[in-house]
Amino acid sequence: MKYVIICILVSIITYWYWNDFFAYEEFNEVIDVTNNIRSIFKELDSDKNGFLNEDEFSNMKNSFTILQKNTYGTQTKYLIQEFPYFTIQFGEQVVNIEVDFKPLLLSSIAKNVSDIPKDEVDSMLGLLNWKTPYKERHPFGAKSFSSFLPPKRDVQAGFTWWIVESNSNKHSPPLSVQRYYPPQVPSNLLIFHALLSLFHPHPFLWTRFQPQGTVAILRAIDDNFYDIVFRIHAEYQLNKPPLHPFWFTPSQFQGRLIINKDSSVVKFFHMEVPDTKLNADMEWLNGPSEDSMEVDIGYIPRMSLISSAISVPMDDEKGANQKLSDIKWHTEISIEEALDSLELQFFPFKKVKYYNVLEAFLRAENESKLVHGIVFWSTVADLEEIIKVNSDSAASFFARICLDNYDFPVESIIFSPDGIVIHRINANALLGLATEQESFFEIGDPVEKNYHEFLENALLMSKAVKVNTEENQLL
């Protein structure tokens, strides 16, 4: 009898395991238990004799529920958010959202996909198999978009507000890499989860790293309508157990919504990942530890949502019969101004004007100042292009210096006007210092403190470089 019981238990686990591969949509809440079979068995084996007797087996009652409960507690310590299907009320306008999706261009990433080792190919399956969107189109009731509305009525063009606020501060560690399923989101944010899910069923409204969240700005106002421009930073988990996590992070989603003030009419909706040379970051694990992590950046040609049509409007809805071209905005700002304002919400440091590589060094020379350069991975391709176009130019000279002193992911470099590297620090080193210095009694931000010290040291070192240069000239 005990052997039969063991066989039944193994069969249950095997049945679940293979159904996770072949019937994912049907069992999408079940968590992988293949790494926990030993601990599950030990918990059921109360007399610790290495076998399950009839009493021990009867305690299971429902083996599937017990298995799910055990693994849920160890791997997913939160409620999972599935695709939310909104109830469309009788008479409510319907907004049909069309999905335009073209998968990542594999030739745009640094990794040679055709030459992946066999022990690593599984880690990229989520990306390689993501050829079509989760849904090609989906209807939404107009009222579902009420979460986009400004938090108060007495507002003017240019008013900015956070819709999805960051759930971490600058002292918080990044969210875990070891996650597969999106956590449950508040009801007022379900529309954002649903829209992002049209591309892939596992979007995360809160990214693991900054920038994080969703910000909107009121571009224009008339008697009945708002023209809202918004920016979303979200990411996707492309793999599912037992594969290792694969994170796909678009550069951003830019969007625009024209909606009346009581959200009963949606005239226009559009949201997309901007079409730039490199617009998606990827991080994945080839093993159980983060030491096996790989990173890359690539180009996704199309990742866009757009409203195609709305239902026949009701006569009592404000502005329902008004054509989009007939709307006369009382106050407005340009799209460019709106996008710039949104960017400043995520990156306040951009209030300081930044220059391209050649202009920065020319200004530094004219004004006898140092160059504070920040090289991101996304700018590496631009620097390489500068060198390729004209290898003998001044711009190429400075671009090559930046590349020669760059390490992934972000390098801060202080240069003299003639291109001498005075001081540099990598983002990983900066964060590592902050981690070592963390204290319960720490009031200030250790990253900010260390970066300030880095800049001060650079100034001191620049004086030493200047003295050495002057002495050499005298000799």
Side-chain angles (χ1 to χ4, degrees):
M1 179 65 182
K2 60 187 178 184
Y3 299 108
V4 173
I5 292 171
I6 293 173
C7 289
I8 292 173
L9 178 61
V10 172
S11 297
I12 292 169
I13 294 170
T14 304
Y15 172 80
W16 177 87
Y17 179 85
W18 287 109
N19 270 272
D20 184 65
F21 277 97
F22 300 114
Y24 169 68
E25 291 301 325
E26 184 178 357
F27 300 104
N28 64 337
E29 290 188 13
V30 180
I31 312 302
D32 177 35
V33 299
T34 53
N35 295 325
N36 301 314
I37 292 176
R38 184 184 296 273
S39 60
I40 292 171
F41 186 91
K42 285 183 177 180
E43 185 172 338
L44 295 172
D45 183 22
S46 57
D47 59 8
K48 309 302 178 186
N49 66 350
F51 299 95
L52 296 183
N53 58 38
E54 292 184 47
D55 292 333
E56 291 167 338
F57 184 80
S58 64
N59 289 333
M60 294 176 66
K61 294 184 180 178
N62 186 328
S63 57
F64 178 83
T65 302
I66 289 176
L67 290 177
Q68 186 183 27
K69 180 179 179 181
N70 275 274
T71 56
Y72 190 87
T74 56
Q75 291 199 16
T76 309
K77 298 179 180 179
Y78 52 80
L79 296 176
I80 294 171
Q81 182 63 62
E82 298 180 343
F83 185 86
Y85 288 90
F86 296 91
T87 300
I88 300 176
Q89 303 297 328
F90 178 75
E92 183 179 5
Q93 287 206 12
V94 177
V95 184
N96 291 301
I97 300 296
E98 301 284 343
V99 183
D100 187 0
F101 176 82
K102 292 183 180 179
L104 185 89
L105 195 64
L106 295 177
S107 61
S108 68
I109 66 177
K111 191 173 185 67
N112 185 353
V113 179
S114 62
D115 193 29
I116 302 175
K118 289 184 178 180
D119 59 341
E120 296 180 8
V121 68
D122 285 354
S123 299
M124 299 190 71
L125 283 180
L127 175 68
L128 299 176
N129 293 333
W130 190 23
K131 302 296 185 184
T132 58
Y134 181 52
K135 296 180 182 292
E136 293 184 352
R137 64 188 59 83
H138 193 75
F140 293 91
K143 286 288 185 182
S144 300
F145 290 83
S146 62
S147 296
F148 283 89
L149 293 176
K152 56 184 181 179
R153 295 295 294 265
D154 185 20
V155 290
Q156 298 297 320
F159 175 73
T160 306
W161 69 99
W162 285 86
I163 299 177
V164 179
E165 295 193 37
S166 173
N167 65 358
S168 65
N169 57 49
K170 57 187 178 182
H171 302 286
S172 301
L175 296 172
S176 172
V177 173
Q178 298 284 357
R179 293 175 299 155
Y180 293 93
Y181 305 105
Q184 195 170 63
V185 303
S187 58
N188 64 310
L189 301 181
L190 285 175
I191 181 62
F192 299 94
H193 181 90
L195 291 168
L196 292 167
S197 294
L198 297 179
F199 299 112
H200 188 280
H202 288 169
F204 286 71
L205 282 185
W206 287 273
T207 53
R208 291 160 298 140
F209 308 99
Q210 298 288 356
Q212 187 184 71
T214 299
V215 176
I217 185 169
L218 200 55
R219 194 201 72 80
I221 309 172
D222 94 325
D223 290 335
N224 298 316
F225 286 92
Y226 291 133
D227 186 346
I228 298 169
V229 177
F230 59 92
R231 175 169 173 162
I232 297 173
H233 282 275
E235 61 187 348
Y236 295 86
Q237 175 52 243
L238 302 189
N239 281 348
K240 56 182 182 285
L243 303 179
H244 300 298
F246 188 108
W247 290 94
F248 183 91
T249 310
S251 58
Q252 61 167 293
F253 290 93
Q254 287 180 0
R256 187 180 181 188
L257 170 68
I258 298 178
I259 184 172
N260 73 343
K261 295 179 180 180
D262 63 4
S263 72
S264 61
V265 180
V266 172
K267 288 292 186 184
F268 177 77
F269 178 85
H270 181 227
M271 183 178 97
E272 67 174 357
V273 175
D275 186 15
T276 55
K277 184 182 298 184
L278 296 171
N279 57 7
D281 290 317
M282 288 150 283
E283 294 183 12
W284 66 94
L285 300 180
N286 290 314
S289 72
E290 294 193 20
D291 293 338
S292 66
M293 178 177 287
E294 284 195 60
V295 295
D296 214 322
I297 189 169
Y299 170 65
I300 187 163
R302 291 296 294 167
M303 199 168 179
S304 172
L305 305 177
I306 192 165
S307 54
S308 60
I310 60 175
S311 64
V312 177
M314 304 291 287
D315 291 336
D316 60 346
E317 292 169 340
K318 294 181 179 179
N321 294 301
Q322 189 176 0
K323 293 181 180 179
L324 188 59
S325 58
D326 292 338
I327 297 177
K328 304 299 182 185
W329 303 111
H330 299 324
T331 60
E332 61 181 310
I333 61 175
S334 68
I335 290 289
E336 292 73 21
E337 288 177 296
L339 293 176
D340 288 345
S341 295
L342 294 178
E343 187 167 41
L344 288 178
Q345 293 296 314
F346 287 104
F347 307 107
F349 65 84
K350 289 199 172 183
K351 292 177 182 178
V352 177
K353 185 172 176 59
Y354 280 71
Y355 301 94
N356 64 44
V357 62
L358 179 59
E359 188 177 1
F361 281 96
L362 291 177
R363 289 182 68 92
E365 184 177 8
N366 292 334
E367 299 176 17
S368 299
K369 294 181 178 179
L370 302 176
V371 175
H372 179 194
I374 302 176
V375 186
F376 297 87
W377 192 16
S378 57
T379 63
V380 168
D382 296 328
L383 294 172
E384 291 174 338
E385 184 67 20
I386 292 172
I387 297 171
K388 181 180 178 181
V389 170
N390 190 346
S391 60
D392 296 327
S393 67
S396 175
F397 170 76
F398 292 120
R400 187 174 286 107
I401 293 173
C402 291
L403 286 178
D404 289 344
N405 289 277
Y406 169 76
D407 283 321
F408 179 85
V410 180
E411 193 81 24
S412 290
I413 313 171
I414 307 299
F415 302 92
S416 66
D418 58 356
I420 295 175
V421 176
I422 294 172
H423 199 17
R424 53 184 281 209
I425 190 169
N426 187 268
N428 287 335
L430 187 67
L431 293 172
L433 286 172
T435 302
E436 293 174 5
Q437 297 168 357
E438 280 182 355
S439 168
F440 179 79
F441 300 100
E442 186 73 51
I443 297 176
D445 179 7
V447 174
E448 185 177 311
K449 173 177 172 288
N450 289 327
Y451 200 78
H452 189 267
E453 289 180 357
F454 159 72
L455 295 175
E456 286 185 333
N457 290 335
L459 289 174
L460 293 174
M461 294 166 71
S462 70
K463 294 177 181 178
V465 170
K466 184 178 180 181
V467 169
N468 290 336
T469 302
E470 291 174 349
E471 289 178 349
N472 290 334
Q473 289 175 346
L474 291 174
L475 294 174

